[in-house]
Amino acid sequence: MKLVLLGPSGAGKGTQAKFLSKAYDIPHISTGDILRGHIARSTEIGLQIEHIMDTGKLVPDEIVIELVRERVIEPDCAKGFILDGFPRNLYQAKELCTMDFEIDKVICIRLDDEVIIKRMSGRFTCPECNSVYHTDYYPTKEKGICDACGSALIQREDDKEATVVNRLKIYHDMTEPIIAFFSGVHLLSEIDGLGTAEEISAQIMNLF
Ligand code: AMP
């Protein structure tokens, strides 16, 4: 089964992709994770894209499309895969349709901007042990200090409100037109992203 998960960053695509990956035993392909891997390994691509990703802008199409083309022909993708974060614009969506396979379903998780901004911009991360907290949903015992290891928490560049707002604008301008494109070819199902991860998984399972 070949699936595409659409929706803004912060709507819970990653969580649902992991759930589907387990349920159907197919790999979760997150272009964001692949790109962050390049940055962590300081590859040629990583050095080229680091500053782009820090601001939440889109990485050039040719880089992402090539990475996806290479990934989906790996042996673990023979039974299918879940694309999370790709396609991100109409050009990428059209390129996806020229690849050597058919997409079975596109699932779009919808969530209002205000909820996403609240979810994302309240997140703080420990630079030492990577624990993640939230000022409203998962606060630390002592403000700004990691419960697990006592280090001072930081806000990741891409969780800062200005970056989140910028990413949402890019989503509305560049990515949302894909929804109409896929609904035109009858592949699209829309899901309400408000609710617990379990409630959203249940809505998704009802689609199959
Ligand atoms: P994500 O983890 O999906 O939120 O992606 C993090 C960042 O990676 C995005 O803000 C973009 O800079 C970059 N990125 C991920 N997927 C794509 C894509 N399909 N096209 C262009 N840039 C991407």
Side-chain angles (χ1 to χ4, degrees):
M1 181 157 33
K2 300 178 177 72
L3 304 174
V4 171
L5 277 186
L6 283 183
S9 301
K13 281 191 311 285
T15 307
Q16 296 307 324
K18 286 189 186 75
F19 164 78
L20 285 165
S21 165
K22 243 192 176 158
Y24 290 103
D25 193 24
I26 50 178
H28 165 203
I29 303 177
S30 153
T31 44
D33 284 350
I34 295 174
L35 295 167
R36 280 185 286 275
H38 276 273
I39 293 175
R41 298 192 308 278
S42 298
T43 64
E44 203 178 307
I45 290 178
L47 296 173
Q48 214 179 321
I49 63 173
E50 191 164 11
H51 66 286
I52 304 177
M53 287 194 51
D54 271 350
T55 58
K57 288 199 191 113
L58 294 188
V59 165
D61 289 334
E62 57 275 22
I63 293 180
V64 187
I65 290 165
E66 191 50 33
L67 290 171
V68 171
R69 280 192 189 278
E70 283 170 4
R71 180 65 186 87
V72 295
I73 55 170
E74 283 180 30
D76 64 331
C77 293
K79 271 198 336 189
F81 47 78
I82 302 146
L83 286 174
D84 161 16
F86 182 91
R88 265 304 216 279
N89 58 28
L90 261 184
Y91 181 75
Q92 293 180 10
K94 287 179 182 166
E95 280 292 307
L96 177 63
C97 293
T98 70
M99 293 184 195
D100 221 4
F101 52 79
E102 299 264 317
I103 293 292
D104 298 298
K105 212 178 254 308
V106 177
I107 302 168
C108 177
I109 305 179
R110 287 201 179 266
L111 197 60
D112 284 347
D113 288 6
E114 303 82 75
V115 182
I116 290 175
I117 292 168
K118 192 162 179 226
R119 268 192 196 176
M120 303 295 283
S121 55
R123 284 197 344 175
F124 285 83
T125 307
C126 175
E128 291 304 319
C129 71
N130 292 322
S131 298
V132 180
Y133 301 91
H134 193 284
T135 44
D136 297 323
Y137 312 127
Y138 187 42
T140 48
K141 290 191 190 91
E142 192 182 339
K143 194 170 178 262
I145 301 295
C146 178
D147 286 350
C149 74
S151 304
L153 300 180
I154 56 157
Q155 188 163 41
R156 273 175 32 182
E157 206 49 52
D158 55 352
D159 287 339
K160 289 190 176 154
E161 185 163 337
T163 313
V164 175
V165 169
N166 190 28
R167 267 214 306 249
L168 280 169
K169 184 175 173 356
I170 292 172
Y171 178 77
H172 293 307
D173 292 350
M174 313 287 289
T175 311
E176 252 173 4
I178 300 178
I179 297 173
F181 173 79
F182 282 123
S183 76
V185 285
H186 308 297
L187 288 170
L188 186 81
S189 303
E190 297 200 60
I191 292 285
D192 180 2
L194 206 58
T196 64
E198 290 75 21
E199 285 164 351
I200 297 161
S201 302
Q203 283 188 64
I204 292 179
M205 289 314 265
N206 274 337
L207 301 173
F208 294 96

